Amino acid sequence: MGSIPMQRETDFRASATAPDRAGPPAVVRTSLPGNPLAPAAARRFVRAALADWTELGVPAAAGFTERLADDSVLLVSELVTNAVVHAGTAVELVCRLDASPGDTTDFLVIEVSDHHPSRAVRGEQLPQAAGTPEYGRGLHLVATLSESWGITYRTGTKTVWARLPVDGVHAVDEIETYASEQATQRGLRAAEILAPLPKRASHDTEWVNRGALTFLAEASDLLAGQFDEDLVAALAGQLLVPRLADWCAVWLDDASEGSARGPADAPGARLARVWHSSEHRIEELRRVLEKEPPRLPDAAGTGAFPVPWPGEALAGGGSGAALAYRLTAGGRALGTLLIGRAGLIRFADEITGLVEDFSRRVALAISTARRYQRQANISQVLQRGLLPSKVAEIPGVESGIVYEPRDKGGPGGDFYDVFQAGDNRWCFALGDVQGKGPEAAVVIGLARPWLRLLAREGYQVAEVLDRLNQLLLDDATEAADAAAAVVAVAGGQGVPPDGPTSRFLSLLYGELVPYDGGVHCTIASAGHPLPLLMSADGAVREAASPQMLLGVVDDETYTSESLDLRSGETLLCVTDGVTERRSGHLQFDDANGLADALAGCAGLDAALVAERIRRLVHEFSDRPPDDDLALLVLRAR
């Protein structure tokens, strides 16, 4: 691409705000994580900063234009994308209004700082030495749009910055591009640089500089929101065809067998997507490509690699140019992207570079989708192990259950169980662990089996809570001792990030003994929302007394209460995801809201009661629940 004019690389930090300018320069900053959503968050942040400065009446805001907003969004998108997508690092973003000494012109300065400048760029064999300038395609685009730009190295930090004049005057370098009559007729400005015959087209300079970045920004947003790798492949094809190619194909390596360098014809690779501007050619193209996938040598890296034109599949379509890109993220090959365009001897350099940038985003989206799917699979397996495979049937008792973890498919902090504990004895439990995810799963995995074991050993309700409380305290003590040992080995540098947390458990636990005409129920509540008993005529009352959470106090002694469930009477047990469901400042159980909801369920069977309470909880607020929902309904027949 040639060298970048070095005279434009001036470090604005040497400048100071002119003394005759009123007020300090406006500065806003934010930190962005190293994930695919960072560029979109950066674009929103810049637009919000400009809007806030305008609303606050900052003097420089009088010169803000739509062009400045668009250019600043494109600049920050490219800078953050290079830092996050290409290098895989978290970044700090700073936007500020500044002025040069002796100049009345205001400038918008955008800084993107990488706090891991020595980390190797993804896909490179060796890390670059500190202080080595990187003049990639992205920085050429930054140089084109900005009035001045530069790279500043400091200890532990590398910052790339760009400066835009607020008055909307921009320096734009003339660059080489291509145009074609066919693309113009289609109205596809993105395809105008694909014509087989090159010529000067200065009127297209704006698109090459600005449209390419817009395409990448929009593509990043679309790809980053997908958590299915096949959908990512489908979107890749639709984004490229017909904008930049006549057809496109995506191979995906097996998620468990992908290697650092895996060609499309490697074992386990599958043709996930084929897309053609002429839909009737898609299946024929697929058949040919499945037989002859592109073969990329190891030396191909992630750049464009010319491959033979699949003429068989495109009979009557003439010849053309085809390029393959290895999709790599985190040093692991995930697949291959193949594009083709009829009527070309070779793709223009601008297109090969643009598609290479695009392929990196596709690879990152595939990698993210696979990590998400792996985590979802682990969570689903874990969830199945933490909940009963089936609910025991109790003679003379109907049961209804609702269980909705906040993170769909993931382990929640709530759990339930209904099981037979012996001859004519059944037990039920509804619990809520402090915390979510793996930490909660550890406590549930400890508590539920012990509940069953203690119940089947013949321990009474209160005794079960006593022993489970001591078990949680003992387990927390062992975890604390292990953490203390880690701290000692580390030289007393504090508790490690993955150190122990308090393992508190709220639990509603009871025992049921059926008899002729009803069910005898013994119940105890440890720090849990109290159960409600509804008589056959719709009267509702609390069925237990509050007691201390489990896992808090060492010498706590728990008690139980007894009642009889007669025909038509209903016992409702819920977690705080029901009682504390919010709508503004109100909670669902304010002013006995849960009791009133239960009273309205008189005459319904257990399953219908559970469903009606669930529906009322959801309808209480327009927003989705922000906690796990679990409820258990037991009704005597």
Side-chain angles (χ1 to χ4, degrees):
M1 295 291 292
S3 62
I4 297 176
M6 297 298 293
Q7 64 271 22
R8 303 181 68 196
E9 299 181 46
T10 58
D11 191 343
F12 64 82
R13 292 180 182 81
S15 303
T17 304
D20 58 339
R21 302 299 300 277
V27 179
V28 291
R29 67 182 67 238
T30 187
S31 295
L32 302 170
N35 63 42
L37 301 179
R43 291 191 290 273
R44 291 194 299 270
F45 178 79
V46 170
R47 288 197 182 276
L50 295 176
D52 288 346
W53 284 331
T54 300
E55 183 177 350
L56 292 172
V58 174
F64 289 175
T65 63
E66 286 298 323
R67 172 67 179 271
L68 175 69
D70 291 343
D71 282 359
S72 60
V73 166
L74 293 179
L75 278 173
V76 76
S77 180
E78 186 61 28
L79 291 175
V80 172
T81 297
N82 273 276
V84 173
V85 177
H86 297 180
T89 60
V91 298
E92 181 180 19
L93 170 61
V94 175
C95 297
R96 77 172 188 234
L97 295 173
D98 207 348
S100 298
D103 191 353
T104 58
T105 302
D106 290 296
F107 293 94
L108 172 62
V109 178
I110 298 173
E111 296 179 275
V112 174
S113 298
D114 173 12
H115 293 282
H116 303 279
S118 61
R119 182 180 297 178
V121 176
R122 287 177 175 167
E124 291 187 353
Q125 298 299 316
L126 296 173
Q128 293 184 347
T132 303
E134 301 171 8
Y135 298 148
R137 173 182 173 82
L139 294 188
H140 279 277
L141 294 168
V142 170
T144 299
L145 289 174
S146 59
E147 178 269 343
S148 62
W149 72 279
I151 303 173
T152 303
Y153 288 90
R154 286 186 171 86
T155 303
T157 304
K158 184 188 78 173
T159 299
V160 181
W161 59 269
R163 189 169 73 169
L164 296 169
V166 172
D167 61 8
V169 179
H170 299 269
V172 179
D173 293 340
E174 184 180 60
I175 63 174
E176 205 59 43
T177 189
Y178 298 92
S180 71
E181 286 291 329
Q182 182 182 14
T184 302
Q185 292 172 0
R186 290 181 182 177
L188 300 170
R189 290 197 300 163
E192 292 176 0
I193 52 178
L194 290 171
L197 298 177
K199 66 177 182 179
R200 305 290 291 187
S202 58
H203 62 281
D204 291 325
T205 297
E206 280 295 291
W207 188 90
V208 175
N209 293 322
R210 299 164 57 82
L213 278 174
T214 302
F215 168 73
L216 291 175
E218 293 175 351
S220 296
D221 281 349
L222 285 171
L223 295 171
Q226 310 305 324
F227 298 108
D228 181 286
E229 61 180 84
D230 289 311
L231 185 55
V232 171
L235 281 173
Q238 293 175 24
L239 286 166
L240 289 173
V241 178
R243 290 180 177 88
L244 301 176
D246 287 331
W247 54 267
C248 170
V250 179
W251 279 263
L252 294 178
D253 296 345
D254 186 278
S256 61
E257 297 178 5
S259 60
R261 295 193 177 278
D265 60 342
R270 63 184 177 88
L271 186 54
R273 182 68 173 178
V274 175
W275 195 249
H276 199 291
S277 56
S278 299
E279 293 187 13
H280 67 277
R281 292 182 174 177
I282 291 177
E283 289 306 316
E284 186 180 3
L285 178 60
R286 174 183 288 276
R287 286 193 293 269
V288 172
L289 294 178
E290 284 178 339
K291 294 177 183 177
E292 300 179 5
R295 302 176 184 275
L296 278 68
D298 290 346
T302 59
F305 187 81
V307 294
W309 177 260
E312 273 184 58
L314 304 172
S319 61
L323 295 176
Y325 296 82
R326 179 172 285 121
L327 301 175
T328 302
R332 180 171 294 275
L334 305 175
T336 303
L337 171 69
L338 181 64
I339 63 170
R341 185 99 189 181
L344 292 181
I345 299 175
R346 59 181 293 273
F347 278 91
D349 291 341
E350 288 81 4
I351 290 301
T352 60
L354 179 60
V355 178
E356 183 178 352
D357 284 346
F358 175 78
S359 70
R360 292 193 183 100
R361 290 157 171 78
V362 172
L364 187 66
I366 292 171
S367 178
T368 301
R370 288 187 173 181
R371 288 197 302 270
Y372 175 85
Q373 191 58 53
R374 280 197 298 271
Q375 185 61 46
N377 292 339
I378 292 171
S379 296
Q380 290 170 3
V381 171
L382 186 60
Q383 190 70 73
R384 288 196 295 267
L386 297 177
L387 297 177
S389 57
K390 66 176 182 178
V391 175
E393 295 184 5
I394 306 172
V397 178
E398 301 170 350
S399 63
I401 292 176
V402 169
Y403 179 77
E404 294 181 351
R406 177 187 175 186
D407 297 325
K408 302 301 182 183
D414 295 358
F415 72 97
Y416 66 90
D417 203 358
V418 180
F419 59 93
Q420 187 169 6
D423 293 338
N424 203 40
R425 288 175 57 241
W426 281 263
C427 292
F428 64 93
L430 188 66
D432 185 0
V433 178
Q434 181 191 44
K436 305 293 179 187
E439 292 179 356
V442 170
V443 180
I444 297 173
L446 183 72
R448 198 171 73 85
W450 273 100
L451 279 175
R452 289 194 169 209
L453 178 62
L454 292 170
R456 288 167 179 168
E457 287 294 319
Y459 288 98
Q460 300 302 308
V461 170
E463 295 174 323
V464 169
L465 295 188
D466 288 340
R467 283 157 176 77
L468 185 57
N469 180 58
Q470 193 60 52
L471 178 67
L472 291 173
L473 288 167
D474 291 346
D475 187 68
T477 301
E478 293 177 3
D481 291 343
V486 172
V487 172
V489 171
Q493 296 301 315
V495 179
D498 56 350
T501 58
S502 299
R503 297 183 174 183
F504 302 152
L505 169 64
S506 75
L507 181 67
L508 187 64
Y509 174 68
E511 180 182 279
L512 300 173
V513 179
Y515 63 89
D516 290 340
V519 180
H520 185 70
C521 177
T522 305
I523 193 169
S525 175
H528 203 81
L530 298 180
L532 298 179
L533 177 64
M534 180 176 66
S535 62
D537 62 2
V540 177
R541 66 178 178 86
E542 292 179 345
S545 301
Q547 299 181 78
M548 180 64 67
L549 281 166
L550 298 174
V552 178
V553 180
D554 192 11
D555 57 353
E556 182 73 9
T557 299
Y558 291 89
T559 61
S560 61
E561 301 173 49
S562 296
L563 56 93
D564 286 320
L565 281 176
R566 294 181 175 84
S567 179
E569 294 188 331
T570 301
L571 184 69
L572 172 64
C573 310
V574 303
T575 60
D576 61 9
V578 173
T579 57
E580 297 178 4
R581 168 80 158 129
R582 285 191 170 275
S583 177
H585 297 295
L586 299 177
Q587 293 187 349
F588 184 76
D589 198 30
D590 286 349
N592 297 317
L594 181 60
D596 292 342
L598 179 59
C601 299
L604 301 179
D605 63 28
L608 289 177
V609 171
E611 175 56 28
R612 182 165 183 175
I613 298 296
R614 184 201 69 82
R615 179 171 54 80
L616 290 173
V617 171
H618 277 273
E619 292 175 351
F620 184 70
S621 173
D622 294 333
R623 303 183 63 180
D626 57 2
D627 197 3
D628 303 329
L629 296 180
L631 60 92
L632 170 65
V633 178
L634 300 172
R635 183 176 185 273
R637 291 191 176 95

